[in-house]
């Protein structure tokens, strides 16, 4: 009887420990996070089993939001439109920390060593650096031009060596921030790079930083291997001789839009994708597409590039074959396709259909829809493979 009692006690202790063990033992390599913009929540999904795992609420205004992953891919840092910075444990499915760090924010990045989270801000402008573990403020770098006028910060991207590059919208500048000493960061400023840089892209090797220009045709490029050479203009005059259309949604440069030796970039105000040789940065061609591109994203293999579009063509996705430089597929997967995300090896692409309140999963070989999952006004989709990639 005494032995039976000991067994019962051991079983009870084991059950108690199992109940306390959180999160359950599993990896994060096939997980992802979906922004649910209307409800201020994020949804955690499993892209191997096409399932939804949890929903985390209380993240504020996510009408324009993005996120980055921690180095171990367990946590995501969500940047909300209201200036909130939230740290979410995707294994436990809960909010672990949140700070209100600005009045209006549109994104951020994480340092190459994973210890610093950087937020880019519209209001009051500037960049703030935070400790990735605690979200304690490390430093604040105001964004002011040479005349002391404030500027919105856009296009923040991480670079090797705990550096960040970003653009100043009103000032027309690109700044390179060295956060080797995160409480005393050093900034190199490049003036007069072009009118109204609106977004930025770091190449996957961290060498190039490219800023798109809203105020004029062309882009601005910084070679971080040769920063002393300054910023040079590429792809000027792509709209020459043609009237630009009204821009209903600003295009995004983020994504794997560099495929092989080619860079695929959206043309502002035109129904076309610009193609440049990524070695010389000279224009190769300009591809006509269905509408004004928003995201121009290459599959992990680089063989195909997928494009979604601004209103009124935001129910459509087109696929470009890189060797032939031809559009080979036009899909109508849902209303208001806002974001696309490939699985790590590119077997599928997930699309957010905001106005249909769903996620659409498409097989990239057959172009067949393999699943649809409910989501509340979904926008950004971010898979955990981003934790190991630069510029994401």
């Amino acid at each position: 009887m005494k032995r039976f009692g000991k067994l019962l006690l051991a079983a009870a202790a084991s059950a108690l420990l199992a109940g306390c063990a959180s999160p359950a033992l599993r990896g994060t390599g096939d997980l992802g996070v979906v922004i649910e913009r209307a409800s201020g929540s994020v949804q955690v999904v499993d892209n191997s089993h096409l399932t939804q795992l949890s929903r985390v609420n209380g993240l504020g205004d996510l009408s324009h939001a993005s996120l980055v992953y921690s180095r171990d891919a367990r946590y995501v840092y969500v940047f909300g439109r209201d200036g909130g910075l939230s740290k979410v444990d995707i294994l436990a499915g809960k909010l672990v920390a949140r700070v209100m760090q600005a009045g209006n924010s549109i994104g951020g990045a994480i340092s190459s060593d994973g210890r610093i989270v950087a937020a880019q801000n519209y209001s009051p402008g500037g960049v703030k650096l935070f400790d990735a573990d605690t979200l304690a403020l490390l430093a604040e770098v105001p964004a002011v031009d040479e005349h002391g006028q404030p500027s919105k910060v856009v296009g923040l991207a991480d670079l090797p060596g705990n550096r960040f590059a970003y653009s100043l919208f009103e000032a027309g500048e690109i700044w390179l921030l060295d956060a080797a000493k995160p409480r005393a960061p050093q900034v190199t400023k490049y003036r007069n790079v072009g009118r109204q840089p609106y977004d930025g892209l770091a190449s996957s090797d961290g060498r190039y930083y490219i800023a798109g220009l809203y105020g004029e045709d062309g882009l601005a490029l910084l070679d971080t291997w040769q920063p002393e050479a300054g910023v040079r203009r590429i792809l000027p005059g792509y709209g020459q001789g043609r009237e630009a259309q009204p821009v209903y949604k600003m295009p995004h440069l983020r994504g794997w839009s560099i495929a092989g030796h080619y860079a695929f970039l959206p043309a502002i105000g035109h129904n076309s994708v610009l193609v440049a040789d990524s070695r010389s940065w000279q224009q190769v061609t300009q591809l006509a597409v269905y509408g004004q591109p928003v995201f121009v994203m290459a599959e992990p293999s680089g063989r195909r590039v997928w494009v979604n579009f601004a209103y009124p063509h935001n129910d459509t996705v087109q696929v470009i074959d890189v060797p032939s430089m031809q559009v080979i597929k036009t899909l109508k997967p849902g209303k208001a396709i806002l974001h696309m995300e490939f699985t790590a090896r590119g077997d599928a692409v997930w699309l957010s259909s905001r106005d249909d309140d769903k996620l659409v999963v498409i097989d990239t070989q057959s172009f067949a829809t393999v699943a649809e999952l409910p989501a509340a006004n979904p926008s950004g989709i971010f898979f955990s493979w981003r934790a190991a990639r630069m510029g994401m």
Side-chain angles (χ1 to χ4, degrees):
M1 191 70 181
K2 189 179 290 185
R3 181 172 179 273
F4 181 66
K6 288 181 178 178
L7 288 174
L8 280 177
L9 185 61
S14 178
L16 180 63
L17 288 172
C20 293
S22 179
L25 186 63
R26 67 157 297 158
T28 59
D30 60 354
L31 299 189
V33 176
V34 180
I35 301 291
E36 294 182 311
R37 53 187 289 150
S39 57
S41 59
V42 297
Q43 188 179 138
V44 182
V45 297
D46 176 331
N47 61 49
S48 290
H49 302 95
L50 307 180
T51 55
Q52 300 162 309
L53 301 181
S54 63
R55 175 175 282 108
V56 181
N57 296 298
L59 305 184
D61 182 357
L62 301 186
S63 58
H64 186 295
S66 64
L67 62 83
V68 294
Y69 278 83
S70 63
R71 189 183 181 100
D72 61 5
R74 176 170 174 175
Y75 300 97
V76 294
Y77 302 90
V78 184
F79 306 91
R81 170 65 86 179
D82 57 3
L85 169 58
S86 304
K87 182 178 181 179
V88 174
D89 183 336
I90 65 173
L91 288 180
K94 66 179 183 181
L95 175 65
V96 295
R98 178 170 165 79
V99 296
M100 295 301 296
Q101 59 86 33
N104 189 336
S105 180
I106 62 161
I110 190 165
S111 61
S112 53
D113 67 3
R115 297 179 180 179
I116 306 163
V117 176
Q120 64 178 13
N121 296 318
Y122 265 18
S123 175
V127 169
K128 289 184 178 179
L129 304 181
F130 297 89
D131 182 279
D133 289 332
T134 65
L135 297 190
L137 180 64
L138 300 174
E140 181 174 358
V141 183
V144 293
D145 65 16
E146 56 189 327
H147 305 294
Q149 296 300 308
S151 185
K152 299 182 186 71
V153 171
V154 296
L156 178 68
D158 61 287
L159 300 173
N162 286 356
R163 294 177 299 163
F164 300 95
Y166 53 94
S167 299
L168 278 61
F169 180 78
E170 287 86 359
E173 300 179 4
I174 291 175
W175 289 12
L176 189 61
L177 186 153
D178 186 338
K181 297 179 179 178
R183 293 187 181 277
Q186 301 297 309
V187 177
T188 303
K189 302 174 183 180
Y190 299 90
R191 314 276 192 190
N192 303 314
V193 303
R195 291 198 303 273
Q196 299 176 322
Y198 72 90
D199 195 11
L201 163 73
S203 60
S204 58
D205 59 4
R207 176 172 180 176
Y208 297 107
Y209 176 79
I210 303 171
L213 301 176
Y214 181 69
E216 56 185 297
D217 291 347
L219 300 98
L221 180 142
L222 173 66
D223 183 345
T224 68
W225 289 10
Q226 299 174 316
E228 68 282 354
V231 173
R232 64 187 176 102
R233 295 291 298 280
I234 61 172
L235 308 184
Y238 58 76
Q240 190 171 0
R242 291 176 297 158
E243 185 177 353
Q245 304 166 29
V247 178
Y248 292 105
K249 183 173 177 59
M250 293 294 287
H252 287 262
L253 295 183
R254 293 298 176 92
W256 290 107
S257 53
I258 295 179
H261 295 307
Y262 299 106
F264 293 78
L265 300 158
I268 300 176
H270 299 279
N271 296 352
S272 58
V273 171
L274 309 175
V275 185
D277 187 311
S278 62
R279 296 163 295 186
S280 65
W281 296 103
Q282 297 298 311
Q283 184 167 327
V284 173
T285 189
Q286 189 167 337
L287 305 177
V289 289
Y290 188 70
Q292 291 184 29
V294 176
F295 282 99
V296 180
M297 300 178 68
E299 295 177 1
S301 69
R303 173 61 193 262
R304 298 187 184 110
V305 172
W306 293 58
V307 187
N308 70 336
F309 303 101
Y311 177 85
H313 302 112
N314 59 0
D315 63 341
T316 303
V317 173
Q318 288 192 309
V319 184
I320 298 169
D321 176 65
V322 172
S324 66
M325 295 289 179
Q326 297 291 320
V327 173
I328 59 170
K329 195 71 176 179
T330 298
L331 303 169
K332 300 277 188 177
K335 298 176 183 177
I337 302 298
L338 297 189
H339 197 95
M340 306 179 288
E341 182 81 334
F342 296 101
T343 53
R345 299 194 181 189
D347 58 291
V349 61
W350 287 49
L351 311 174
S352 62
S353 178
R354 181 196 63 196
D355 293 353
D356 282 333
D357 290 313
K358 67 180 181 180
L359 304 170
V360 183
V361 185
I362 296 177
D363 183 292
T364 53
Q365 296 304 306
S366 67
F367 303 115
T369 296
V370 296
E372 293 186 353
L373 291 82
N377 287 127
S379 55
I381 306 171
F382 304 87
F383 288 158
S384 60
W385 54 257
R386 290 170 171 262
R389 310 281 179 91
M390 284 185 288
M392 302 303 289

